[in-house]
Every structure is written in structure tokens, then in C-alpha cells.
């Protein structure tokens, strides 16, 4: 007996939602497009709230940056909730393996006391910076306009909470789960002179009204400098001074930064290429925050790494800014 | 001359690969079938790593293509930078 297998193709009734079709044409859309474009309420559930009657709940004017289309901020990683969670789950699995390996082999015994002290003094207080970054990205998500950019901000905010937790776990590994290193690091954050400039910047950022400025100050300037200092230069210093195993614990931050930088740079470039006014505004914000943050980081960077570390970090940030079309 | 073709599962990874193939092979015909996307072209079909990376927004290993690959037709030429299909004369 022979069996003949017949196939018949069913044409889908429609390829995608009408609003996605209006943007991208009548063809199968990506999940990212469907979960992102024109999702924020315009008509329904959007009105003038009692607490700010001169603006709508979802209002484009809570920043001085002006965009013809706020959905121009396409995320190059195309993260919508599903893709984001999958990507982070993968990264977390790798990180958990590293932490488990580090703890099982008790690699912290290879770190001598001065090395541990240095990590507690410089690396662990960074969790307070990450908490500030979490707040700032939450704020941008809350007051921002357009799901394309606001969803990326909330993803960034959650990542920062995760990074703060990993930094805390590094502290717990160093102090044998007593929590002493975290209290000590908090005291450095609150009282130690090298940290006060950074703390002032983190705290000042949370008082800025313009959400786009907050995003630029945090994700471009602050992160641009700090991540270069810590996860490139300090990482190298650890490798050269017998602390290379700590790299297993900060690998997540390094990988994450590469991923996040793609989005940050793309966002900056899109905003700058929209208009000369946007470019001027971004340059003004960046110059202002860069001057402040450089001054704040100076004592920290020179004590942690040496005199030319900060200049190197600045050069790497400037290169990114130039690529985004700023300060031409 | 027969066409070369490649068929991928219709999922979130493939969508970006298909976008990249469309960009690099303007002559190609993309056929959306249930759960599968088939792309065919006269002559040569190329999948470039750099284009896929740009679309997918992360580093991409050409061998990842095989995770979503259903079938292909043509002689394969694959290296770290891409994969190409054509019929040897």
C-alpha cells in the first residue's frame, strides 16, 4: 500500500495588527514590532491627571528633546519582554555557574587581605551606584514617551538591580556570608572621601526633572566612565595582580555592558541625528555631566588605578560620543 | 538552472536571518509557509554574518544557522563570515 501525503497551505487571514501594517506594510511582523510600536496609550487611558493638569499622563513634552516619531528609538537588540528575559536567563545561568564554581573551589582563599580590602573599598560600594542607576532608568521609563525607549529603560533598570545583587554577593563571598563587607562598603559610600563626589552625582541625578537628561547622564556619561574604569581597567589590574579569579564574578557586568552599550549608543545617535536642536541639547547635557562626573571620579580612579586611568576612560567615552555624531 | 534554496523554522531567530538574507540577496523570493520560511534564488544565495548581527543585535555564530535550519538545496560554502549556496556546474 502506498500512502500519498498531501499538503495544503492555509493562507493566514492577516499578517499582523492594523497599526503595525500601517507602519511596516502588509507582511509578517516580528514579535519585537508587534510588542513595541504604538503600544503606549494615545486615546484611551490617556488624560490630564490631577497631579499635573498641564500635561497628559503619556506626554511627549516631559523632556526638551523633540522627536517627530518617538518610535524611532528602535532597540538594536530588539528586546521585547520575551526576548529580554530569554537573553538574561542565559546570561544568569552562566553567571550562576561561575559563582557556584568560585564558591565550591573556595577561590576567595587565593585573595590576600590587601586584595580583599581593596575590593571592599572600591568594588562593593558600586552597588549603591547601581541602585541609583536602577532609580534613574525607572524614572525614564515612567515619564518617558514611546514603548520603544521606555521598555528598554525598564529592562536596563532591572539589569541594574541584578548587577547590584551580584556585587552584594561578591561582598558576601569575601566576608564568608557575614555581611560585614556590605556594612563596611556602605560606610565607605557614606563617609569615605574618595566616594563623596560619586555619591553627590548619583544623588543629584535623581533630582533632575528631564527624563532624557537623566538617561543621558546615567547611561551615557556615568556608565560610560565607570564601566570602562571598573570592568576594563580594574579587571586588567586584577589580572595583573593575582585577582584574576574575581573576573569570574564580574563577567556578567562586562558582557552586560557590551549589550547595553549597543542600545545606549543607538539611542544617542537617533536623538542626535533628528535635529540640530537635539544635538545641541545633548552636547550641553553631556558636557555638563561629564565635567561633574570626571571631577567626582578623579580621586577614586587615581587611588584605585593610577593617575592616567580616568583620562583613558574619558577617551573611550569621547570615541563613542563621536561615533554617535556628537561634538563634531 | 535550478534554484538554490534554504528553509528555516519560522521563529524569532530566523526572522532576523531572513531579513539579512533579503537585504543581501535582493533577487531572492521569500515564501512564508506555515511554521517555515523558504527562500529561493537563481544562482547564488548568501548569508552574511555581519548583516545578521546587525539585524539580530548581538554577536552571531554562522553555525547557529543550523539550529533553525530545516533544509537547503545547493552546494554549501561555509566559513566564519557566512554561508553561501550555489550549484556546481
Amino acid at each position: 500500500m502506498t500512502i500519498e501525503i498531501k499538503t495544503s497551505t492555509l493562507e493566514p487571514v492577516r499578517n499582523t495588527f492594523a497599526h503595525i501594517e500601517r507602519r511596516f506594510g502588509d507582511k509578517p511582523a516580528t514579535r519585537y514590532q508587534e510588542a513595541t510600536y504604538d503600544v503606549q496609550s494615545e486615546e484611551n487611558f490617556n488624560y490630564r491627571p490631577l497631579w499635573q493638569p498641564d500635561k497628559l499622563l503619556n506626554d511627549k513634552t516631559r523632556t526638551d528633546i523633540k522627536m517627530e516619531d518617538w518610535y524611532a528609538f528602535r532597540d538594536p537588540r530588539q528586546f521585547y519582554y520575551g526576548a529580554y528575559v530569554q537573553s538574561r536567563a542565559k546570561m544568569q545561568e552562566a553567571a550562576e555557574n561561575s559563582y557556584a564554581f568560585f564558591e565550591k573551589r573556595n577561590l576567595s582563599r587565593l585573595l590576600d587581605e590587601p586584595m580583599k580590602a581593596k575590593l571592599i573599598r572600591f568594588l562593593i560600594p558600586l552597588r549603591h551606584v547601581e541602585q541609583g542607576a536602577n532609580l534613574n532608568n525607572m524614572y525614564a521609563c515612567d515619564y518617558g514617551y514611546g514603548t520603544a525607549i521606555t521598555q528598554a529603560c525598564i529592562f536596563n533598570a532591572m539589569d541594574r538591580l541584578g548587577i547590584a545583587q551580584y556585587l552584594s554577593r561578591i561582598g558576601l563571598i569575601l566576608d564568608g556570608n557575614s555581611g560585614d563587607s556590605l556594612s563596611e562598603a556602605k560606610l565607605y559610600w557614606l563617609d569615605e572621601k574618595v566616594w563623596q563626589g560619586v555619591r553627590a552625582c548619583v544623588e543629584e541625578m535623581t533630582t533632575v526633572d528631564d527624563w532624557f537628561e537623566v538617561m543621558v547622564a546615567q547611561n551615557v556619561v556615568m556608565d560610560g566612565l565607570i564601566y570602562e574604569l571598573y570592568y576594563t581597567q580594574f579587571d586588567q589590574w586584577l589580572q595583573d595582580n593575582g585577582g584574576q579569579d574575581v573576573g569570574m564574578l564580574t563577567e556578567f557586568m562586562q558582557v552586560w555592558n557590551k549589550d547595553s552599550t549597543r542600545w545606549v549608543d543607538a539611542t544617542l545617535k537617533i536623538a542626535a541625528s533628528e535635529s540640530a536642536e537635539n544635538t545641541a541639547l545633548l552636547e550641553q547635557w553631556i558636557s555638563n555631566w561629564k565635567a561633574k562626573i570626571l571631577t567626582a571620579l578623579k580621586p577614586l580612579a587615581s587611588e584605585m588605578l593610577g593617575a592616567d586611568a580616568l583620562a583613558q576612560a574619558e577617551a573611550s567615552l569621547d570615541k563613542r560620543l563621536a561615533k554617535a555624531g556628537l561634538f563634531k | 538552472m535550478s534554484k538554490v534554496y534554504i528553509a528555516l523554522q519560522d521563529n524569532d531567530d530566523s526572522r532576523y536571518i531572513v531579513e539579512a538574507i533579503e537585504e543581501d540577496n535582493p533577487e531572492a523570493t521569500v515564501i512564508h509557509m506555515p511554521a517555515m520560511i523558504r527562500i529561493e534564488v537563481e544562482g547564488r544565495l548568501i548569508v552574511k554574518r555581519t548583516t545578521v548581527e546587525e539585524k539580530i543585535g548581538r554577536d552571531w555564530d554562522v553555525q547557529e544557522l543550523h539550529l533553525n535550519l530545516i533544509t537547503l538545496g545547493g552546494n554549501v560554502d561555509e566559513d566564519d563570515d557566512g554561508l553561501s549556496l550555489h550549484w556546481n556546474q
Side-chain angles (χ1 to χ4, degrees):
Chain A
M1 195 180 86
T2 53
I3 300 171
E4 196 183 331
I5 300 171
K6 274 191 179 176
T7 58
S8 58
T9 309
L10 298 175
E11 287 300 323
V13 180
R14 59 187 71 80
N15 280 317
T16 181
F17 301 111
H19 65 278
I20 300 295
E21 193 183 315
R22 281 194 288 280
R23 267 184 189 272
F24 300 103
D26 188 11
K27 57 177 184 188
T30 64
R31 293 276 184 278
Y32 175 71
Q33 289 171 340
E34 292 185 339
T36 304
Y37 288 90
D38 303 303
V39 168
Q40 192 163 21
S41 295
E42 286 268 8
E43 303 278 332
N44 307 315
F45 303 110
N46 197 20
Y47 52 82
R48 297 187 182 280
L50 294 170
W51 52 271
Q52 199 177 37
D54 60 322
K55 293 203 194 304
L56 291 164
L57 277 176
N58 302 327
D59 201 300
K60 296 171 186 168
T61 62
R62 286 203 175 88
T63 171
D64 290 332
I65 291 285
K66 292 191 178 54
M67 296 295 293
E68 176 71 29
D69 174 16
W70 278 94
Y71 284 94
F73 290 107
R74 180 179 173 275
D75 183 347
R77 306 164 300 178
Q78 308 199 48
F79 278 168
Y80 60 98
Y81 181 76
Y84 163 72
V85 171
Q86 273 176 26
S87 144
R88 291 302 178 262
K90 246 186 234 168
M91 282 168 65
Q92 196 189 0
E93 206 181 318
E96 291 300 327
N97 278 337
S98 296
Y99 277 74
F101 184 95
F102 195 98
E103 287 176 293
K104 186 177 160 198
R105 301 281 187 317
N106 194 17
L107 295 182
S108 61
R109 85 196 131 78
L110 299 176
L111 303 169
D112 56 19
E113 285 310 314
M115 178 64 87
K116 279 188 185 165
K118 181 149 180 157
L119 288 169
I120 292 169
R121 185 176 165 82
F122 291 110
L123 185 64
I124 311 301
L126 211 53
R127 68 200 197 103
H128 297 279
V129 179
E130 294 295 341
Q131 193 209 7
N134 165 265
L135 290 173
N136 289 332
N137 278 286
M138 289 267 196
Y139 180 82
C141 174
D142 197 1
Y143 291 93
Y145 186 88
T147 310
I149 194 163
T150 54
Q151 70 177 349
C153 287
I154 199 70
F155 297 154
N156 187 300
M158 299 321 290
D159 288 337
R160 309 314 285 270
L161 218 48
I163 291 171
Q165 287 174 353
Y166 275 132
L167 290 168
S168 309
R169 275 178 64 183
I170 296 175
L172 292 172
I173 287 176
L174 294 177
D175 65 21
N177 281 326
S178 67
D180 292 344
S181 68
L182 304 185
S183 325
E184 196 184 332
K186 187 174 175 187
L187 286 179
Y188 291 142
W189 175 250
L190 292 175
D191 298 324
E192 196 69 8
K193 210 167 164 221
V194 284
W195 277 107
Q196 296 318 299
V198 183
R199 175 153 84 102
C201 285
V202 168
E203 290 177 8
E204 189 184 335
M205 252 181 241
T206 61
T207 67
V208 175
D209 274 335
D210 190 312
W211 64 271
F212 210 101
E213 181 179 354
V214 172
M215 210 179 64
V216 166
Q218 175 68 55
N219 297 349
V220 178
V221 188
M222 188 71 139
D223 293 350
L225 294 169
I226 286 204
Y227 273 72
E228 163 69 24
L229 280 176
Y230 273 87
Y231 301 113
T232 307
Q233 296 187 34
F234 188 54
D235 187 77
Q236 187 61 47
W237 183 91
L238 286 169
Q239 286 183 43
D240 298 341
N241 290 276
Q244 65 280 2
D245 296 343
V246 178
M248 288 177 76
L249 309 177
T250 54
E251 176 70 7
F252 181 94
M253 290 71 138
Q254 222 181 52
V255 173
W256 175 82
N257 185 43
K258 196 177 162 200
D259 168 300
S260 159
T261 303
R262 271 184 208 258
W263 166 66
V264 172
D265 288 356
T267 302
L268 205 56
K269 195 171 178 177
I270 293 162
S273 59
E274 174 84 2
S275 67
E277 290 77 32
N278 281 0
T279 308
L281 193 57
L282 288 170
E283 286 178 355
Q284 183 201 324
W285 285 339
I286 290 172
S287 309
N288 177 18
W289 282 103
K290 206 173 92 176
K292 265 187 212 176
I293 294 171
L294 281 175
T295 317
L297 282 172
K298 205 170 174 191
L300 187 77
S302 58
E303 197 188 313
M304 180 168 76
L305 294 158
D308 57 347
L310 193 57
Q312 213 175 310
E314 190 189 355
S316 119
L317 176 62
D318 285 346
K319 216 163 112 191
R320 282 175 55 197
L321 295 173
K323 260 196 187 159
L326 293 166
F327 300 101
K328 284 253 154 100
Chain B
M1 189 71 211
S2 354
K3 289 178 170 176
V4 293
Y5 59 88
I6 189 166
L8 299 164
Q9 295 176 41
D10 187 359
N11 61 31
D12 268 341
D13 283 332
S14 300
R15 272 179 252 261
Y16 303 118
I17 303 172
V18 172
E19 266 183 52
I21 296 176
E22 278 185 282
E23 189 175 304
D24 290 333
N25 306 271
E27 309 283 282
T29 324
V30 179
I31 307 157
H32 288 270
M33 300 167 90
M36 174 169 117
I37 305 171
R38 184 185 165 98
I39 307 163
E40 22 180 76
V41 69
E42 281 299 339
R44 193 175 197 89
L45 184 146
I46 49 170
V47 186
K48 278 195 207 158
R49 180 176 55 80
T50 46
T51 322
V52 177
E53 284 184 348
E54 185 189 307
K55 301 284 174 199
I56 207 166
R58 60 173 172 84
D59 292 343
W60 184 75
D61 189 320
V62 177
Q63 296 201 18
E64 285 183 55
L65 180 70
H66 299 279
L67 295 172
N68 304 302
L69 185 68
I70 295 171
T71 181
L72 53 76
N75 294 94
V76 177
D77 186 2
E78 182 180 354
D79 61 21
D80 285 350
D81 294 319
L83 177 142
S84 79
L85 296 171
H86 70 283
W87 290 113
N88 288 338
Q89 300 288 343

